[in-house]
Amino acid sequence: MKVTVTVNGSEYSRDVEPRLLLIHLLRDELGLTGSHWGCDTSNCGACVVWLDETPVKSCTVLAVMADGRRVLTVEGLGSGAALDPVQQGFAECHGLQCGFCTPGMMLTARWLLDRSPDPSPAEVREAISGQICRCTGYENIVRAVLWAAKNGGGR
Amino acid sequence: MGCEERRRPVTDHEIAAHGTGPYGAIPRKEDARFVRGQGTFVDDISLPGMLHGAILRSPLAHARIVSVDVTAALAHPKVEAVLTGADLAERGLAWMPTLSADVQAVLATDKVRFQGQEVAFVVAQDRYAARDALELIVVDYEPLPPVVDALTALAEDAPLVRDDLENRTDNHIFDWSAGDKAATDEVFAAADVTVGCDMIYPRSHPAPLETCGIIAACDAVTGRLTLWSTSQAPHAHRTLYALITGLPEHKIRIVSPDLGGGFGSKVPVYPGYLCAIAAAMLTGRPVKWVEDRSENLMSTTFARDYHMHGEIAATADGRILGLRARVLADHGAFNATAQPTKYPAGFFHIFTGSYDLQAAFCEVTGVYTNKAPGGVAYSCSFRITEAVYLVERLVDMLARRLGMDPAELRMRNLLRPEQFPYTCPTGWQYDSGDYLRALALAMDIAGYPELRREQAQRRARGEYMGIGISFFTEGVGAGPRTHMDILGLGMADGADLRVHPTGKVVLGISVQTQGQGHETTFAQIVAHELGLTPDDVEVVHGDTDRTPFGLGTYGSRSTPVSGAAAVLAARKVRDRARLVAAAMLELSPDDLEWLDGKWRVRGDPERAAGIAEIAMAAHSALELPAGVEGHLDASAVYNPPNLTFPFGAYICVTDVDPATGEVKVRRFIAVDDCGVRINPMIVEGQVHRGLADGIGMALMQAIVFDEAGNCLGGSFMDYLLPTALECPSPELGATVTPSPHHPIGAKGIGESATVGSPPAVVNSVVDALAPFGVEHADMPLTPAMVWRAIQGRPLRSDLALG
Amino acid sequence: MQVPAQVEYEKAASVEHALTLLARYGSAARVLAGGHSLIPMMKLRLAQPEVLIDINAITDLCYINLTGAQLRIGTLTRHAQLLDSQLIGEHFAILHDAERVIADPIVRNWGTVGGSLCQADPSEDLSAAFAALKGTMVIHGPDGSREVSAREFHTGPYETVVGPAELLTEITLPIRPGGGSGYQKVSRRTGDWPVGAAGAAIWLSGDVIADAGIGLTAVGATHFAAAEAEEYLRGKIATEETLARAGEIAAENCRPASDQRGPADYKRHLASELTTRALRLAVARARGQAT
């Protein structure tokens, strides 16, 4: 069936099977491979994107559920050549190593800072508690988000 | 407390300054693409005409295969091919060699030997259709009783796992030992105090966030096979594929693009890779196979699974005399551990730890069971995780028996700086160490005496906190090629340096980052040697067509081995540059000295030439002396003379709720010494991860099996990994004790914290439970395990509870 | 990643439309709300419905309203909304306690209260919480709506009284004076299903416990409730002794099963310990001594 989604500000229409997962629409149909997948059971959060205003685990959402809605992926963070402060923070603070969990982490961080511009470290940890990183031990991710909060974190 | 307040800065006197220059905490070059979501991981790649593979796996742990019917699958409109064990057998591909001189089934032919074993490979037009087609394959199994509990694998009536091997009548794989048994027995017989304990290091899994996968593409015209693959050792894989498939090695190209973590799990060649290659050859189209998470957890290399009995002998006043250990190693259905050939138990015999011992002896027996193959993975430094866990638990148990503070006991027995290089009772020569300083620093950061006072006060109020120490010595950077080879390939690695006419440099290395930051740290290494900036140096890795041969990244070997190769290659370039500079300046080479990043005239340092100008000159029409070749390129192969021995002192503070068994990790202090630190920010990132690993393994991670051999850890709902909420903000310190034999004194850091942290956490929890009389409790210390330990009715952590 | 089998899809525009579709497809259909219980099961192919009826467009079902002495929660309310709701925090702290430990913040953005209750996992936290609060489930069907007590809603693991042509639309909670509530959960790691969890709601009349509601999950308690322990508490003064005894009674009357989260004896112990702790918290809140 036909699904129309606005991703990072551009509208796309595709004919898909109802069972197609949103993460596969983004990666395989639209070639937006910045969002990743890492598990079968909605635990790891490598697939986090925004659906309308909130981050969701896009491996647990059908593409057809996103019909008529807006999606934000890592490719839509920042504008043009300019990085979002969250992206800058991750680079500044070594908040990534292999980079696989990073897009999801950054999108959750962006959402957190939009709602809570000056979070405590505990609030940052709570916000990312549904997402797994195997490389950083989380410390530098937290530092990256706090850096972004202090350095132009508001959009 | 906020993380800024908790984090103590590392002071100058604690870190040896090693000059100015490109070493230092510079941001990483690779981040530019990753923060934009522009990394290229295997599943991101799509080729024209590409097909998708999926693997049908056995639901049973042990069964004879009666028949495999793929008719319905082949009839699916989107299915292009289906491979079975029989199909592969016709092509001599049904079995493949493992890294431990055994064979492993690619697709099962006679029997299945673990739940999750590969049985058939479907190739379809898209990944959803491939998954659908799996359900159309009908396999008739005749179930057999499985061997699940390693402790029963050698029983008389144990079912035989490997009846495919000729003359095999039992599940015994190997016996191996190290040390002096007689001397050790004597020491134990004469000791005032001996303490013994059974302990399990449960089966766990590295679980990198990106699962394993491959795209295989054959070019029928050129005969070239190109593979994009999640491989930590692409060159070794290339050689293996050549040997297995018969394809000429120079026609095989492997590209490891960006890897989403590895931790040892992307070292082996997996059946799915070979299936994809076979399918690509059969269909003439590129075939992609990427495993799902359950496949990853159930069939790729697990880690640990050591059933250990350890003993420690000491004098009454706390001098440790000797250590003894007996280990039963569960290797799963095929012996596929990845370690140097002469060491079937890896480097376990470094279980002598960081102490001055008179004698030590260990024996390890490996057995087959009906579980997935593997064992050496997850940052174990070839079984050093197991060794350090054993010795550090025993030391704590000894402290308890003697009524001595565990820090005090360690202080009395740690090796002194003047004892290095130190040869331990099992033959390892530790290169350098300053142990007491590291432990003192850790205790200082932790505020150790205050913690003990707090503990006493809390106990009086019925609150239970624990303080656990772990001191570890690692042996990494394998290794000297005459002693260490994998599948006959000596563990020496190469580096190629090309210097362009404008003085920009390309370094080709054989190791493969999975997030460790090689593109930055190796640029720093070369820039430091050549007076350049890291931006002047481009690091190329992961493409076997463009890089020199080597054994890949694992065992923290990249800096000790490839780093050294890069240094040697850079110094060759520098030496060559001296000859060219001498020609440029019309002087003798002896008139020049290397100072502040340039060749300078002795006594007249303003007259100088840097690498950029020398490079241009080397490519120009400048007349060069006899014997001096043009250009500045150089390469080197580094054969390490020894391992390097990073070490560290960790302290973990936990709070335990005895009514529920819940454990909260309050603080984690870690002092690491990895010799010279090229990029302290990257070093610290490695330590952060290892501390999280320790929390995970100590408190929640285990791959458990039930009596029927069903794997109960096949998803992230069951195989739990720590989140940001379980990991406190780490408090790090560092000392620098350079390696005397490494060209820049660096030792490697990647696995240290994974090695050192689990015993710190377990020691902490057991310390918290001391008032309840708990002397030991096995990992993972879930609330149920802790509560049961308190009740005096401990649970076995590696078998199913229900 | 594992992927679902083929399925057909319908989008419901209203409750009436949903009921029409459910009537047409019967048990071949499953309701799709947040999908965070159903879609994971479909990916593992443990559930293979023929048709999905997506109700996410029925925004009318997304509300938290105070109507007189009743709090009414629309079943399409997302977990995150329940957690963010000041109204809920004011009247039923137990729901905030429970939501804080359900799954993770991202899953809570999309998973729904109704979806979790209808999934009816024997370890579902909200089932225990609503049982403690003695809520009422409102179910719409072809013949209009009916009400079922939260304590009669579940008929077995993964089974509820909602028929194939029916839709759970609302949960109502009576607001009574002197109330306080709380939830206590033990899990192996944040976001994991509980090893054991207890929710308690207390209504005090002076010092006396006028009524008590105790919900238990993951420990095999009948209808997620500890009725015998509630009976014991009614009319008693809340003291350490009576709360501890209530915990013991709750534990005596549940039937936990051993699994990888823990052996049965440990879970039974948790039933006791956590019931007492939840009661303690509920009483403190009822007395205005805690938030």
Side-chain angles (χ1 to χ4, degrees):
Chain A
M1 44 184 293
K2 180 154 166 258
V3 98
T4 302
V5 196
T6 303
V7 185
N8 301 329
S10 301
E11 194 178 272
Y12 300 89
S13 286
R14 291 287 187 277
D15 190 27
V16 303
E17 290 182 346
R19 62 169 169 168
L20 183 73
L21 300 167
L22 179 58
I23 183 65
H24 287 143
L25 175 80
L26 296 169
R27 287 177 54 79
D28 300 338
E29 295 292 324
L30 303 183
L32 295 166
T33 56
S35 311
H36 305 129
W37 57 265
C39 75
D40 306 322
T41 47
S42 316
N43 292 114
C44 80
C47 63
V48 167
V49 301
W50 286 23
L51 186 57
D52 288 335
E53 300 308 322
T54 55
V56 297
K57 292 186 171 177
S58 64
C59 71
T60 316
V61 174
L62 301 176
V64 293
M65 294 164 81
D67 185 43
R69 295 182 187 262
R70 286 164 293 122
V71 173
L72 177 70
T73 71
V74 59
E75 289 92 341
L77 267 185
S79 47
L83 290 177
D84 186 285
V86 166
Q87 291 168 300
Q88 283 175 46
F90 272 73
E92 228 12 80
C93 299
H94 192 32
L96 66 143
Q97 291 184 26
C98 79
F100 204 73
C101 75
T102 310
M105 291 288 185
M106 292 191 303
L107 284 164
T108 296
R110 181 68 265 156
W111 175 71
L112 172 70
L113 293 179
D114 283 353
R115 286 152 60 98
S116 182
D118 188 23
S120 67
E123 283 174 303
V124 176
R125 287 177 181 273
E126 165 69 24
I128 61 172
S129 62
Q131 294 165 254
I132 301 289
C133 173
R134 299 297 287 145
C135 294
T136 68
Y138 305 102
E139 173 64 15
N140 285 347
I141 293 177
V142 174
R143 293 184 195 178
V145 179
L146 296 174
W147 185 98
K150 287 192 181 67
N151 291 275
R155 262 201 303 194
Chain B
M1 250 200 226
C3 61
E4 263 78 31
E5 295 160 296
R6 183 70 59 62
R7 197 172 17 119
R8 277 175 57 124
V10 181
T11 59
D12 283 341
H13 79 264
E14 290 154 0
I15 297 197
H18 39 69
T20 55
Y23 290 179
I26 64 170
R28 303 193 324 168
K29 298 159 134 226
E30 42 269 78
D31 289 354
R33 65 183 183 276
F34 290 127
V35 298
R36 290 171 170 83
Q38 284 172 21
T40 304
F41 301 90
V42 167
D43 195 44
D44 296 346
I45 299 169
S46 205
L47 301 175
M50 190 173 77
L51 298 171
H52 295 258
I55 295 181
L56 181 71
R57 295 180 180 274
S58 166
L60 300 172
H62 199 197
R64 207 158 294 289
I65 295 181
V66 177
S67 63
V68 181
D69 183 356
V70 304
T71 333
L74 278 170
H76 187 298
K78 287 188 171 183
V79 168
E80 298 287 330
V82 181
L83 293 171
T84 64
D87 297 324
L88 289 185
E90 279 170 31
R91 296 163 171 83
L93 288 176
W95 293 84
M96 63 179 186
T98 70
L99 296 173
S100 277
D102 191 358
V103 289
Q104 174 175 356
V106 177
L107 290 177
T109 49
D110 57 332
K111 274 178 20 173
V112 289
R113 293 175 169 85
F114 66 93
Q115 187 187 50
Q117 182 177 351
E118 299 80 1
V119 174
F121 190 78
V122 163
V123 186
Q125 288 165 23
D126 63 67
R127 65 175 89 227
Y128 283 64
R131 179 68 182 78
D132 290 342
L134 291 181
E135 296 189 338
L136 301 176
I137 301 174
V138 182
V139 183
D140 191 12
Y141 294 104
E142 185 192 290
L144 298 167
V147 181
V148 179
D149 183 352
L151 302 181
T152 66
L154 296 177
E156 276 241 2
D157 56 349
L160 185 62
V161 177
R162 298 299 303 281
D163 50 342
D164 59 296
L165 297 171
E166 232 176 278
N167 299 328
R168 181 153 277 287
T169 53
D170 60 30
N171 297 314
H172 180 261
I173 306 177
F174 68 84
D175 286 313
W176 183 85
S177 64
D180 186 334
K181 183 172 196 317
T184 305
D185 286 346
E186 254 179 63
V187 160
F188 270 81
D192 297 329
V193 180
T194 63
V195 180
C197 188
D198 287 331
M199 54 185 89
I200 298 176
Y201 208 131
R203 178 175 284 231
S204 64
H205 194 285
L209 202 58
E210 179 208 26
T211 59
C212 300
I214 192 170
I215 302 173
C218 303
D219 185 321
V221 172
T222 63
R224 285 190 66 96
L225 173 69
T226 307
L227 305 172
W228 287 265
S229 139
T230 52
S231 169
Q232 293 175 230
H235 305 85
H237 280 204
R238 184 191 65 199
T239 308
L240 262 176
Y241 290 134
L243 295 172
I244 293 172
T245 65
L247 280 172
E249 190 171 358
H250 64 304
K251 297 279 196 180
I252 301 175
R253 174 187 178 206
I254 301 186
V255 178
S256 275
D258 293 317
L259 296 189
F263 318 116
S265 73
K266 292 173 178 167
V267 167
V269 166
Y270 291 116
Y273 298 164
L274 277 172
C275 289
I277 293 172
M281 290 175 172
L282 187 67
T283 60
R285 291 166 64 174
V287 173
K288 172 190 275 191
W289 170 74
V290 184
E291 59 173 3
D292 65 38
R293 180 56 64 184
S294 72
E295 300 182 270
N296 175 258
L297 294 173
M298 288 175 65
S299 75
T300 64
T301 178
F302 69 92
R304 322 282 189 272
D305 216 339
Y306 259 28
H307 301 250
M308 309 187 279
H309 178 78
E311 298 169 276
I312 186 167
T315 64
D317 65 349
R319 167 147 297 292
I320 302 174
L321 301 171
L323 286 167
R324 205 155 55 183
R326 214 174 51 239
V327 178
L328 187 69
D330 185 334
H331 279 227
F334 305 106
N335 188 14
T337 49
Q339 74 275 306
T341 326
K342 297 182 180 70
Y343 302 87
F347 300 161
F348 178 77
H349 51 307
I350 205 173
F351 83 116
T352 51
S354 315
Y355 309 101
D356 191 5
L357 302 179
Q358 288 179 11
F361 179 72
C362 66
E363 31 192 1
V364 181
T365 298
V367 296
Y368 288 119
T369 59
N370 287 113
K371 299 175 189 162
V376 171
Y378 204 0
S379 302
C380 68
S381 296
F382 304 122
R383 301 289 188 187
I384 300 185
T385 36
E386 291 86 323
V388 166
Y389 179 70
L390 183 73
V391 60
E392 289 304 293
R393 279 296 303 127
L394 287 173
V395 168
D396 250 40
M397 292 182 73
L398 177 65
R400 176 86 65 85
R401 176 72 62 84
L402 294 174
M404 217 170 161
D405 181 283
E408 173 64 32
L409 179 61
R410 285 176 172 85
M411 282 293 190
R412 278 196 205 178
N413 289 279
L414 284 172
L415 292 163
R416 295 338 196 211
E418 56 273 13
Q419 290 178 279
F420 290 84
Y422 170 78
T423 302
C424 80
T426 51
W428 293 108
Q429 192 191 62
Y430 301 0
D431 59 1
S432 65
D434 196 347
Y435 291 174
L436 293 165
R437 188 160 74 109
L439 180 54
L441 178 56
M443 291 171 70
D444 191 38
I445 296 173
Y448 189 80
E450 293 86 74
L451 285 174
R452 285 292 176 202
R453 277 197 287 277
E454 184 196 346
Q455 182 180 50
Q457 286 161 6
R458 282 188 185 265
R459 275 187 184 153
R461 292 201 300 267
E463 292 167 15
Y464 300 91
M465 72 180 262
I467 304 155
I469 301 174
S470 165
F471 197 102
F472 67 92
T473 297
E474 266 259 71
V476 302
R481 56 187 293 166
T482 50
H483 300 306
M484 296 184 183
D485 65 89
I486 295 196
L487 222 55
L489 299 167
M491 296 182 77
D493 274 50
D496 284 344
L497 257 183
R498 289 209 196 159
V499 184
H500 294 330
T502 51
K504 304 303 179 191
V505 170
V506 178
L507 171 71
I509 51 175
S510 56
V511 287
Q512 176 58 48
T513 189
Q514 319 111 50
Q516 296 93 320
H518 294 170
E519 286 166 44
T520 304
T521 55
F522 278 80
Q524 290 177 271
I525 290 174
V526 170
H528 184 84
E529 296 297 319
L530 296 180
L532 300 170
T533 74
D535 281 336
D536 294 327
V537 182
E538 180 79 7
V539 176
V540 175
H541 61 107
D543 182 338
T544 58
D545 269 4
R546 297 168 64 197
T547 52
F549 188 87
L551 270 284
T553 293
Y554 42 83
S556 307
R557 66 191 297 275
S558 297
T559 299
V561 187
S562 268
V567 169
L568 294 186
R571 288 180 184 169
K572 283 188 188 177
V573 166
R574 204 167 75 201
D575 290 343
R576 200 114 153 244
R578 179 189 216 168
L579 302 175
V580 175
M584 284 161 74
L585 296 169
E586 291 172 336
L587 295 168
S588 152
D590 294 329
D591 295 328
L592 299 175
E593 58 178 355
W594 179 262
L595 195 59
D596 283 343
K598 289 190 181 190
W599 284 114
R600 300 178 188 273
V601 178
R602 286 183 205 279
D604 188 7
E606 291 309 300
R607 271 184 81 204
I611 291 291
E613 324 156 48
I614 299 173
M616 187 57 82
H619 285 80
S620 72
L622 174 72
E623 171 144 4
L624 296 172
V628 178
E629 292 177 7
H631 305 179
L632 284 184
D633 303 340
S635 60
V637 175
Y638 185 68
N639 177 26
N642 189 5
L643 300 184
T644 58
F645 295 82
F647 57 93
Y650 292 175
I651 300 179
C652 180
V653 182
T654 55
D655 294 290
V656 180
D657 181 346
T660 61
E662 288 167 295
V663 175
K664 182 112 181 79
V665 180
R666 198 205 297 176
R667 293 177 65 193
F668 219 141
I669 293 97
V671 170
D672 279 275
D673 191 318
C674 59
V676 168
R677 290 143 57 98
I678 298 152
N679 187 322
M681 181 186 77
I682 288 183
V683 170
E684 287 185 2
Q686 299 296 300
V687 176
H688 291 168
R689 168 183 77 83
L691 299 181
D693 280 344
I695 292 171
M697 280 185 282
L699 301 182
M700 64 189 74
Q701 286 170 228
I703 304 278
V704 169
F705 292 79
D706 69 15
E707 284 176 351
N710 292 311
C711 174
L712 303 184
S715 80
F716 282 167
M717 259 181 21
D718 303 301
Y719 184 63
L720 299 173
L721 297 170
T723 71
L725 289 180
E726 282 77 40
C727 303
S729 202
E731 302 163 62
L732 302 192
T735 59
V736 177
T737 311
S739 168
H741 64 76
H742 188 277
I744 57 173
K747 288 189 176 182
I749 185 68
E751 297 166 309
S752 286
T754 308
V755 168
S757 58
V761 184
V762 176
N763 282 346
S764 185
V765 175
V766 174
D767 183 55
L769 300 181
F772 298 99
V774 174
E775 293 188 346
H776 176 69
D778 277 326
M779 302 187 277
L781 294 168
T782 61
M785 290 286 290
V786 171
W787 187 81
R788 273 298 203 92
I790 294 172
Q791 310 309 309
R793 293 177 293 121
L795 290 164
R796 196 169 144 180
S797 64
D798 60 326
L799 298 179
L801 292 178
Chain C
M1 177 179 39
Q2 300 189 43
V3 296
Q6 297 272 22
V7 71
E8 286 173 41
Y9 174 88
E10 298 272 11
K11 193 161 176 171
S14 66
V15 172
E16 292 67 42
H17 187 200
L19 291 175
T20 309
L21 291 168
L22 284 168
R24 182 188 312 159
Y25 291 111
S27 53
R30 289 288 292 261
V31 170
L32 176 66
H36 277 49
S37 300
L38 181 58
I39 292 174
M41 299 228 311
M42 289 174 65
K43 285 161 69 174
L44 298 177
R45 307 218 173 182
L46 297 173
Q48 295 199 36
E50 291 173 37
V51 187
L52 291 172
I53 299 173
D54 183 342
I55 61 167
N56 285 288
I58 314 179
T59 49
D60 283 353
L61 283 181
C62 193
Y63 57 85
I64 300 170
N65 293 335
L66 188 59
T67 318
Q70 275 201 336
L71 202 96
R72 302 152 62 116
I73 303 168
T75 49
L76 204 60
T77 303
R78 312 280 170 185
H79 287 285
Q81 291 167 320
L82 203 63
L83 183 54
D84 275 345
S85 159
Q86 213 168 346
L87 216 48
I88 294 283
E90 209 179 296
H91 296 283
F92 301 110
I94 181 179
L95 292 177
H96 274 192
D97 290 351
E99 284 291 1
R100 240 175 243 120
V101 293
I102 287 176
D104 61 69
I106 310 299
V107 166
R108 291 197 296 262
N109 279 340
W110 206 243
T112 64
V113 172
S116 294
L117 289 169
C118 290
Q119 170 71 1
D121 195 296
S123 301
E124 174 55 51
D125 292 296
L126 284 187
S127 301
F130 284 117
L133 291 175
K134 305 192 180 181
T136 304
M137 312 296 204
V138 178
I139 300 168
H140 271 77
D143 305 319
S145 72
R146 60 191 181 103
E147 293 187 354
V148 174
S149 157
R151 290 155 171 254
E152 272 142 42
F153 183 71
H154 299 97
T155 53
Y158 310 103
E159 281 172 22
T160 70
V161 299
V162 179
E166 293 184 303
L167 192 67
L168 180 69
T169 55
E170 178 180 275
I171 307 124
T172 64
L173 301 171
I175 298 173
R176 297 188 276 155
S181 61
Y183 196 76
Q184 296 280 295
K185 171 177 176 178
V186 169
S187 59
R188 296 173 298 175
R189 189 207 67 186
T190 187
D192 192 17
W193 292 97
V195 185
I202 287 282
W203 293 270
L204 294 178
S205 182
D207 253 354
V208 173
I209 299 173
D211 195 12
I214 300 172
L216 290 170
T217 189
V219 292
T222 313
H223 292 299
F224 294 96
E228 298 83 358
E230 295 166 349
E231 181 56 42
Y232 164 79
L233 281 174
R234 234 169 262 124
K236 297 222 171 27
I237 314 277
T239 65
E240 267 307 308
E241 288 72 34
T242 55
L243 298 190
R245 183 72 194 119
E248 283 167 15
I249 296 171
E252 280 159 24
N253 287 285
C254 62
R255 286 179 320 274
S258 293
D259 63 20
Q260 280 317 106
R261 297 201 172 87
D265 63 335
Y266 170 64
K267 292 187 185 185
R268 192 180 296 283
H269 163 77
L270 279 185
S272 173
E273 178 68 29
L274 298 181
T275 294
T276 303
R277 291 188 187 190
L279 284 166
R280 213 180 271 136
L281 182 55
V283 167
R285 283 172 173 161
R287 290 180 179 153
Q289 290 163 356
T291 45

